[in-house]
Amino acid sequence: MRWMKSIGAATIMLVLMSLTLSTFASSHKLVLTGSSTIAPLAIELGRRFESLHPGVRVDVQTGGSSRGINDTRKGVADIGMVSGVLKSAEQDLQAFAIALDGVGIIVHASNPVTTLTNRQIVGIFTGRITNWQEVGGHDARITLVNKAEGRSTLESFLAYFQLKNSEIKSHIVIGDNQQGIKIVSGNPHAIGYVSIGAAAYDAQRGVPIKLLTMDGVAATVANVRNGTYPLSRPLNLVTRLPPTGLVKQFIDFARSKQTHDLVEAQYFVPVSVD
Amino acid sequence: MSKLFVNKDKMSYLLRDLTIQVLIYSAIVCVSGVFLWILFDLIRGGSALLSWQFLTDVPRDAGRAGGISSILASTLLVLLIALLAALPISWATAILLTEFISAESPFGRWVRYSLQVLACVPSIIFGLFGYAFFSLYLGLGFSILSGGLTLACMLLPILVSTAEAGLRAVPESYRLSAVALGMSRAATLFHVLLPVAAPAWAAGLLLGIGRAAAETAALMFTSGYVDRMPESLLDSGRVLALHIFDLSMNVPGGDAPAFASALVLILLLLVINLVAMRFTYLWQRKKLNAE
């Protein structure tokens, strides 16, 4: 009996080891980690890339832009996903934009305000304007929805309006875009800022929110694409070294015309490289 | 005169009983009301999408279309690994703590204290630990295996403490009778203590399964985000809770499939609960009646 047991144990060990080896031996696996905004798009890009290159696997992991940067630096990931422009401390990485994402101001659909000037927006977010009456709305206190520290939407917003996060007098701090949309759709006096694509998608389908015109330019995907809408951020793939081999193939593929439909299906704006 | 007083007394007793009854029933209504409300909300939002095809198709278009077959497979695999790793360790620990060392011994206290601390640790900490230890240090990568092992660490305190409480609830006279009959320690454990404590163990197991199946934060960094059908335990696989979180927070238009997936998760837990309770009942009856 005893020898049977040890043979059994050895077999299990062997199976486990071969499993381990076979997985690590395959060099045809691309690991992408990073921004949760890009992750759904990256999964779709990966699925199409896999169908074009049999034997290749594209594994996408989420966790935020900062994880993408860390994992890429450490070599845990082949490609990082980073939304927003790389900061000065991140210039050691190579960035390749695959799409643009506009950032728009949203309010509840019942709010009579349809446009705000940059001055008014700065006033509202720094707490100088606290009532909707002051910008042409009802007599109601403004509920300010801000993004959490480290979110790249926050960084684009602050950079555009030349604000510091400590100056913003927020009532609610949120993480993802959908959370912002849900909060604003449930509070008639709230104001927040989220990805234009996501907001336009939900507004079209009857969620009670609306995108405000900013400095005379309507917050639409079309205006982000033609460059007239001022507040947008790039969605990047980043690598530690100049890309070669499979990594280069994937990045080129992600920036090519054959993926524009996938980018648009996630409500982002494709960037033309050629 | 005196009769009147008695009646009045009786009335006040009746009134008091009635008040307490009403309070107790309203508490029950509150508890089950919350569950029914959630269930109703999920059924309303998700039943339209729920179909056999939803259960057998892989997700497409970031989860807006297609189904959740691969997600279900990953969820069950992660759960299986977590239980396979955690159950032997935690149940053995519980048996050691109750049957083999005294409750007041420094070692027992230390083990119990460390388990209590472990129970208070937020799940994201387990996630980061699993990411650093299983995924990177042990080289398991982002895989179902590292996710399951991370969950196993998280389940230890629940499983140990419920199993320990179950064993402690067995009357001391049972142990004494067993000793008087000349039964060995192992025989006492398997033929007397475990069958009596089985319902408590099953309850602990169900709590553990519930916590594991609902876990998002600890798995985001370990078992990961890949929504493909897993081919081995070293593949990354997205679990249901993470899928629901991603659909409702990160994917525009993901609410309907998120509701449907949440409904599947609740139904899955209900089925596991019913099966486990039935199984425990049958096993206990067979074990206690046969001997």
Side-chain angles (χ1 to χ4, degrees):
Chain A
M1 280 307 280
R2 188 165 282 171
W3 61 270
M4 269 177 75
K5 263 188 195 163
S6 50
I7 286 182
T11 326
I12 291 172
M13 288 287 283
L14 272 177
V15 170
L16 275 180
M17 271 168 64
S18 60
L19 269 176
T20 321
L21 287 177
S22 67
T23 314
F24 283 95
S26 90
S27 62
H28 299 302
K29 185 165 148 185
L30 275 179
V31 177
L32 279 74
T33 72
S35 160
S36 59
T37 309
I38 308 178
L41 169 62
I43 282 201
E44 295 305 320
L45 289 173
R47 199 165 291 162
R48 188 170 289 177
F49 191 74
E50 283 170 3
S51 69
L52 294 174
H53 299 80
V56 174
R57 296 188 32 160
V58 181
D59 276 8
V60 177
Q61 305 294 347
T62 175
S65 296
S66 47
R67 179 183 178 193
I69 286 168
N70 279 337
D71 282 357
T72 311
R73 279 193 182 135
K74 273 193 271 177
V76 178
D78 300 302
I79 301 174
M81 302 177 287
V82 179
S83 40
V85 182
L86 288 189
K87 298 190 202 82
S88 50
E90 297 158 1
Q91 292 303 325
D92 54 319
L93 299 169
Q94 319 260 331
F96 305 90
I98 55 169
L100 282 179
D101 184 24
V103 178
I105 311 279
I106 55 168
V107 295
H108 194 266
S110 68
N111 196 322
V113 175
T114 54
T115 181
L116 289 173
T117 63
N118 284 359
R119 252 183 90 79
Q120 285 171 324
I121 291 171
V122 170
I124 289 174
F125 276 86
T126 51
R128 276 188 286 109
I129 302 175
T130 55
N131 197 303
W132 281 110
Q133 229 168 9
E134 297 170 59
V135 289
H138 297 302
D139 177 19
R141 207 179 143 77
I142 298 175
T143 307
L144 207 57
V145 182
N146 195 22
K147 287 255 180 174
E149 193 78 54
R151 293 275 162 178
S152 76
T153 344
L154 171 79
E155 278 154 22
S156 327
F157 181 84
L158 295 178
Y160 178 72
F161 287 106
Q162 297 181 330
L163 289 169
K164 281 202 288 282
N165 198 20
S166 52
E167 296 174 284
I168 293 188
K169 305 279 178 281
S170 53
H171 301 116
I172 303 173
V173 175
I174 56 154
D176 292 301
N177 285 320
Q178 291 306 110
Q179 198 183 354
I181 291 172
K182 279 173 182 150
I183 284 178
V184 172
S185 70
N187 182 340
H189 311 307
I191 182 169
Y193 55 93
V194 296
S195 158
I196 288 180
Y201 176 92
D202 276 347
Q204 259 171 33
R205 275 158 189 75
V207 177
I209 54 163
K210 74 181 167 190
L211 281 155
L212 293 186
T213 299
M214 206 161 63
D215 257 359
V217 185
T220 60
V221 175
N223 284 346
V224 176
R225 181 195 306 255
N226 64 28
T228 50
Y229 188 81
L231 181 47
S232 69
R233 56 187 180 147
L235 304 180
N236 296 310
L237 297 180
V238 303
T239 56
R240 191 159 47 102
L241 304 167
T244 53
L246 203 58
V247 174
K248 182 171 165 36
Q249 277 178 35
F250 182 81
I251 290 177
D252 288 346
F253 167 78
R255 285 152 66 87
S256 69
K257 282 219 169 61
Q258 45 182 328
T259 60
H260 281 191
D261 59 319
L262 294 179
V263 174
E264 281 160 2
Q266 303 301 322
Y267 306 95
F268 299 132
V269 176
V271 285
S272 297
V273 186
D274 356 277
Chain B
M1 235 3 224
S2 71
K3 208 169 183 185
L4 200 79
F5 271 122
V6 169
N7 272 347
K8 210 173 171 187
D9 252 18
K10 230 180 193 169
M11 276 298 288
S12 77
Y13 276 130
L14 273 177
L15 201 68
R16 201 181 60 182
D17 282 5
L18 199 71
T19 323
I20 289 181
Q21 238 172 26
V22 167
L23 283 177
I24 289 176
Y25 275 105
S26 53
I28 294 171
V29 168
C30 281
V31 169
S32 40
V34 170
F35 171 68
L36 289 177
W37 188 3
I38 293 177
L39 195 65
F40 175 73
D41 224 31
L42 289 180
I43 290 174
R44 206 188 44 180
S47 57
L49 209 67
L50 200 60
S51 64
W52 183 245
Q53 209 186 355
F54 185 73
L55 294 179
T56 53
D57 211 356
V58 293
R60 273 176 283 112
D61 190 16
R64 289 186 200 95
I68 53 167
S69 64
S70 50
I71 313 283
L72 269 179
S74 305
T75 309
L76 293 175
L77 281 175
V78 168
L79 212 55
L80 192 73
I81 300 243
L83 291 178
L84 279 181
L87 282 182
I89 299 178
S90 43
W91 284 356
T93 310
I95 290 171
L96 175 86
L97 285 177
T98 50
E99 304 303 320
F100 290 88
I101 59 175
S102 101
E104 300 305 317
S105 72
F107 176 69
R109 279 187 187 184
W110 188 78
V111 172
R112 232 170 271 130
Y113 179 71
S114 53
L115 283 169
Q116 279 160 9
V117 172
L118 213 56
C120 303
V121 174
S123 56
I124 183 71
I125 308 287
F126 282 102
L128 292 175
F129 164 75
Y131 169 69
F133 184 68
F134 294 119
S135 298
L136 299 185
Y137 184 72
L138 293 187
L140 296 176
F142 310 118
S143 64
I144 288 172
L145 200 57
S146 54
L149 293 174
T150 308
L151 267 193
C153 300
M154 233 179 79
L155 292 184
L156 286 179
I158 298 183
L159 292 174
V160 175
S161 56
T162 50
E164 197 195 340
L167 280 177
R168 284 209 192 285
V170 178
E172 201 56 34
S173 56
Y174 287 27
R175 294 185 182 84
L176 294 176
S177 314
V179 173
L181 290 171
M183 283 171 79
S184 72
R185 263 187 157 166
T188 313
L189 189 66
F190 286 110
H191 297 289
V192 180
L193 300 178
L194 289 192
V196 173
W201 286 38
L205 177 61
L206 290 178
L207 278 179
I209 290 178
R211 182 159 184 204
E215 190 45 54
T216 315
L219 294 175
M220 186 182 267
F221 293 94
T222 49
S223 69
Y225 186 74
V226 174
D227 62 0
R228 192 188 299 114
M229 184 62 89
E231 284 157 13
S232 88
L233 294 182
L234 288 158
D235 277 354
S236 166
R238 193 193 296 190
V239 297
L240 255 177
L242 185 59
H243 189 58
I244 296 167
F245 174 75
D246 193 57
L247 281 175
S248 67
M249 284 299 156
N250 200 30
V251 177
D255 277 350
F259 270 116
S261 310
L263 195 56
V264 172
L265 182 59
I266 295 263
L267 292 178
L268 185 72
L269 286 176
L270 276 180
V271 170
I272 291 178
N273 269 13
L274 290 177
V275 169
M277 277 191 305
R278 185 82 204 146
F279 182 77
T280 318
Y281 171 73
L282 289 178
W283 184 75
Q284 190 184 27
R285 209 175 54 168
K286 189 178 133 206
K287 200 82 183 165
L288 288 182
N289 286 353
E291 286 155 15

